[in-house]
């Protein structure tokens, strides 16, 4: 440490929001270069390389082949798959001196697809799993929490190529297991949750979330083990009800009831029921939004949900990706005079709207999607498309229909898990990895086919698998830290042992140096605090801040033939007699720990 | 090789200009992603990592501490040192979603300086040598020759920080030696040449050039061991001559002599000399250019050189960096009516021009710099600032003066080396590394000071040291290749041994696999060609193309108990008896080779 390029800081960095960020900066592991952009100092770089090594070993163990793509890439392949547009402001774009368009790649599906297309042509070449550990870029709107959400970051991205769906299933399962091994080796608890694919496309995906209060993702879980990203929760659909014997729909005056709350109050007063009070869940709320499609087209959309639930924009967007959801504004209302604001009912929407003169759906008719709970035979109070009027006993499947269903209503704690494993509860997590069964979207867009066994051209099916390497490092730091500082697991620590020469005598320094050499010779990485004029107290504080898993204190008690081995995590101190067995004792602590 | 992500190509890639590029693509080491931007395939990535390892080991051996900076950096630090502007079109610039300016860094002097400023404050913290192996970007006007001149490339850049000049000298010398060791380990011949600092700034620099006909740099060398970049050659200045006894200057009519050639012909006819014929070297040519300064200011400049030499723009720019040289156009001539095109003489330039009315130099007077050969007492024929007229016997130091001297005249083969080591000859080389004694330019611009032993703030002095890692790989490939393909040195080969199962029997494959396992167990990296339906001829061709330093052919002669060990470089074939000693025999060939 007399020569190490390191300065520990007493004060927290002003911009630090979370523990890992605060401690990594204070302990001299990283340094901010710009918002969301960090420099790795020597200790930080060692941890980063260790995390990378764990990831590489597990990728290699499942037959992964490492390659390395550029970060700076031309627009064309991303244009071909639509992602140049879909990513919106989320990526960095630039022009070269010839005014050609480039981007700093957020992921590399296109490039891997084109590379395989370039090199391979037969089913015999597959399956293939290729991966890279590479610097990636996203122009986050709000870079935050240090390495947890950066704009330049290290990611492992892997891509599988198979000739058929069964092959993709195998590749996907193999990556899933490799991911679980990676996080286990990093000592990082993860929950695998069903997720939606977003801009990535594809049929199926799962996220590996690390449960942590500083996480940005909300997910839900059930006592029976179900776990999903909120966007991916599917609604438990109630059974259809018989239509026989239901009363006819009737329109009623309901003055001054443009909100669900005012409507329920009015119903309770004007139309009291014997069996139970009116509830928001008895009403059907029709929410209007505008979909912005990737080609720029704006499409009005009505979504009908039970009145006790809001539309969750993230869930709606996930259902309708790649379109994004925008507000339905005053000018949109002006363009649709059939909409009675606050009293909108199915009658003017989708298949229920009056047909045009040609007997076909009229041109300006708004598409109408329903919450899956609105099954045939359910009865609703909803707008009658006239100010101050609602319709009661409107029966789904008898009195109105829709263009389809959509997962858009908010998920609430207590909702049943889709697999019947009990009520859902909400939790927060940080996305550590994401695996996608992409299917053929990229291969189709870029023309990746191979000859199958029968000499027929078939489109390759793909998976894509990412781990945020620098983010995983921060999560490990966050999970391990205590009041005093960082606490690294042996697997990724910059050094497994921190030998602190905590005394004044030359013998202390000489012994500390000798012990360090012996430990290095035994294959350990050792950090030696040999600073001559720093007090033992400051050295101990620094050793706690820096967080090596084991600290050997060589101090006053050396005269009695004793050094102290401290387990950084538990704080447990073991006296070690100085002599031939000291190195062995440290070694076995490290290897056992 | 049955599972390796590799496809060797029969045909040369269309864009390949040099051997290394052609072979690296054909052998499946790299693949072009965009002009000057390449993807590393598995074999290529292994070589890249090996080259990086050699560089890291030598940096660590001289006390280098590895860090890692972002590639995406904010404008401000580069603005503070002027490099944001100086780099012109040579760097990639971009804006983030908040319209803040960023660049993809070409080198990191600013960031290292700011980091040290952030962390260190005392002379006791120095010296410091920090380095990184990092992806860099330059928007080259003409990316060419594959990895030899790319737009995204891997570089090792190191920076030294010292408290005084003697410290910088030591740091510089230590890097210089480390560089020589790196190139020796890579098997890459290099010549260390004096160079100019260009946009980097600083007092002194040397380039490590690999002599190769595909090199882009011309350098000069002498039989006595002098070597320099042409831009860095200093002119051998002749002794001053006594002014006594020289004839007076006289203006003569020299109609139709706007060029040196026509002037010499006219002199020979109109003013023949007894002792020798007139030569271009007897005339003084005054060349006009415009300097574009970093702040955008345009400054006209006149450069006087002997008429037998052209002005070398690269030398002139190197002398006047960071200004760049632009042509003196028609509008510039229009703004300076005192210039008689084709007959421009010193009389209207610099200190020789008529003074203004206030006795000071007139506002529009053009700055005048002279070639160092134009010493006091030399006699010249030059323009008389009137069409069709020249002045003869114009004596430097008597009849005219200048604002200074400048290294601008072209260097020619046969010119004397500045250190007296003989006549210069030209050679071509490729820049492999460049080391700069930067001095205090960056530290001053960014305010990096430390307290010295006496408690006084002193500005830190710096060095900057770069090796093009991916370029070095290409140079190694270029230097080793032969007609059949790549030939890697053991130090960086993707595998030291290529075991080729070249036969049909199961025993051939079984033995090849067993031998490979044994070699791997002995610590070697082995590439095994176990492709079942590929002919021995194709496999041998591939082994030549791929270029592992040693090839073991397991084939028909296995029945006789013999395998063949081929030295890829020499082609020498050694029969190895199959048995307990086979692995050892291969090992000793690799370790001896």
């Amino acid at each position: 440490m007399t020569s190490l390029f390191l300065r520990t800081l007493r004060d927290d960095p002003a911009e630090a929001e979370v523990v890992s960020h605060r401690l990594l900066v204070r302990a001299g592991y990283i340094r901010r270069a710009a918002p969301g952009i960090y420099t790795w100092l020597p200790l930080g770089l060692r941890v980063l390389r260790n995390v990378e090594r764990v990831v590489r070993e597990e990728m290699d163990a499942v037959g992964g082949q490492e390659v390395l793509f550029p970060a700076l890439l031309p627009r064309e392949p991303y244009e071909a798959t639509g992602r140049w547009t879909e990513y919106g402001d989320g990526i960095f774009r630039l022009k070269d001196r010839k005014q050609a368009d480039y981007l700093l790649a957020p992921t590399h599906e296109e490039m891997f697809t084109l590379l395989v297309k370039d090199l391979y042509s037969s089913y015999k070449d597959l399956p293939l799993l290729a991966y890279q550990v590479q610097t990636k870029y996203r122009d986050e709107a709000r870079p935050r929490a240090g390495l947890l959400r950066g704009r330049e970051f290290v990611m492992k991205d892997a891509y599988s190529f198979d000739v058929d769906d069964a092959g993709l299933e195998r590749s996907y399962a193999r990556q899933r297991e490799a991911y679980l091994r990676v996080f286990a080796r990093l000592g990082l608890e993860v929950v695998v949750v069903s997720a939606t694919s977003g801009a990535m496309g594809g049929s199926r995906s799962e996220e590996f979330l690390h449960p942590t209060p500083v996480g940005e993702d909300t997910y839900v879980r059930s006592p029976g083990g179900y776990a999903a990203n909120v966007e991916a929760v599917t609604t438990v659909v109630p059974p259809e009800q018989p239509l026989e014997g239901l009363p006819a729909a009737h329109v009623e005056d309901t003055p001054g009831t443009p909100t669900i709350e005012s409507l329920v109050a009015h119903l309770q007063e004007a139309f009291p029921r014997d069996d139970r009070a009116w509830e928001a869940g008895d009403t059907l709320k029709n929410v209007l939004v505008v979909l912005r499609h990737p080609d720029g087209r704006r499409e009005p959309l009505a979504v009908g949900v039970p009145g006790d639930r809001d539309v969750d924009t993230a869930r709606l967007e996930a259902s309708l990706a790649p379109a994004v959801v925008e507000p339905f504004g005053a000018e949109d209302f002006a363009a649709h005079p059939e909409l009675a604001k606050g009293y909108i009912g199915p009658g003017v929407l989708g298949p229920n709207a009056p047909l045009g003169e040609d007997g076909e759906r009229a041109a300006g008719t708004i598409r109408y999607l329903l919450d899956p709970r609105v099954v045939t035979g359910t009865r609703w109070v909803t707008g009658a498309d006239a100010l101050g009027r609602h319709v009661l006993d409107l029966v789904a499947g008898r009195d109105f229909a829709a263009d389809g269903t959509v997962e858009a209503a908010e998920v609430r704690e207590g909702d049943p898990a889709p697999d019947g494993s009990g009520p859902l509860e909400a939790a927060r997590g940080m996305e550590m990895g994401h695996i996608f069964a992409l299917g053929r979207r990229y291969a189709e867009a870029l023309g990746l086919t191979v000859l199958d066994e029968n000499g027929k051209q078939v489109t390759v099916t793909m998976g894509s698998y990412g781990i945020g390497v620098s983010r995983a490092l921060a999560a490990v730091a966050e999970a391990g830290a205590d009041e005093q500082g960082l606490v690294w697991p042996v697997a990724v620590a910059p050094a497994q042992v921190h030998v602190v020469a905590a005394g004044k005598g030359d013998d202390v320094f000489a012994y500390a140096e000798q012990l360090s050499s012996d430990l290095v010779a035994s294959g350990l990485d050792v950090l030696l605090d040999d600073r001559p004029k720093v007090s033992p107290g400051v050295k101990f504080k620094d050793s706690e801040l820096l967080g090596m898993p084991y600290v050997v204190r060589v101090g006053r008690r050396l005269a009695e033939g004793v050094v102290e081995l401290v387990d950084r995590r538990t704080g447990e101190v073991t006296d070690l007699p100085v002599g031939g067995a000291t190195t062995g004792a440290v070694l076995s602590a490290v290897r056992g720990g």
Side-chain angles (χ1 to χ4, degrees), chain A residues 91-108:
Chain A
I91 55 173
F92 290 101
R93 296 178 170 83
L94 65 158
K95 287 181 188 291
D96 74 359
R97 60 160 74 210
K98 290 177 177 161
Q99 297 304 306
D101 282 317
Y102 283 79
L103 78 167
L104 298 179
T107 62
H108 281 73

Side-chain angles (χ1 to χ4, degrees), chain A residues 53 180 275 341:
Chain A
R53 183 177 38 71
L180 292 174
D275 53 344
K341 212 171 166 179

Side-chain angles (χ1 to χ4, degrees), chain A residues 277-477:
Chain A
W278 288 97
E279 289 174 1
D282 297 322
T283 71
L284 177 67
K285 179 161 66 178
N286 295 295
V287 177
L288 284 149
V289 297
V290 171
L291 293 184
R292 167 82 67 181
H293 293 280
D295 59 8
R297 192 166 47 91
R298 296 178 83 245
E299 184 205 359
L301 177 75
V303 178
V305 296
D308 60 343
R309 288 178 193 260
D310 286 331
V311 166
D312 177 335
T313 305
R315 277 173 52 75
L316 180 59
E317 283 195 335
S319 297
L320 301 172
V324 295
V325 172
E326 296 180 353
F328 194 86
E331 69 285 9
D332 296 306
F333 274 108
H336 288 277
E338 75 275 22
L339 300 174
K341 212 171 166 179
Y343 302 89
I344 300 165
V348 297
L349 302 170
N352 316 298
L355 299 179
E357 290 179 9
D358 55 0
E360 302 288 320
R361 183 184 286 209
T365 304
I366 295 173
R367 185 152 69 109
Y368 187 39
L369 298 175
L370 277 173
D371 184 84
R373 292 173 191 84
V374 188
V375 293
T376 295
T378 51
R379 273 197 282 173
W380 304 92
V381 178
T382 188
D385 301 308
L387 290 182
R389 290 170 72 79
H390 278 91
V391 54
L392 279 71
D393 292 322
L394 195 74
V395 175
R398 181 190 75 180
D399 303 326
F400 71 104
D403 295 310
T405 60
V406 67
E407 291 289 355
E410 58 180 329
V411 172
R412 292 198 307 224
E413 292 201 280
D415 283 350
D419 63 355
S421 59
L424 296 176
E425 62 165 19
R428 294 190 74 75
M430 172 62 65
E431 182 183 337
M432 291 289 113
H434 203 157
I435 58 178
F436 298 86
L438 289 178
R440 298 182 174 79
R441 168 182 171 178
Y442 292 89
E444 259 159 22
L446 299 165
L448 169 59
T449 61
V450 293
L451 289 176
D452 72 4
E453 283 175 276
N454 310 311
K456 221 185 72 191
Q457 291 284 354
V458 293
T459 301
V460 169
T461 181
M462 293 170 53
S464 126
Y465 315 93
I467 287 180
V469 174
S470 41
R471 180 185 281 185
L473 180 155
V476 171

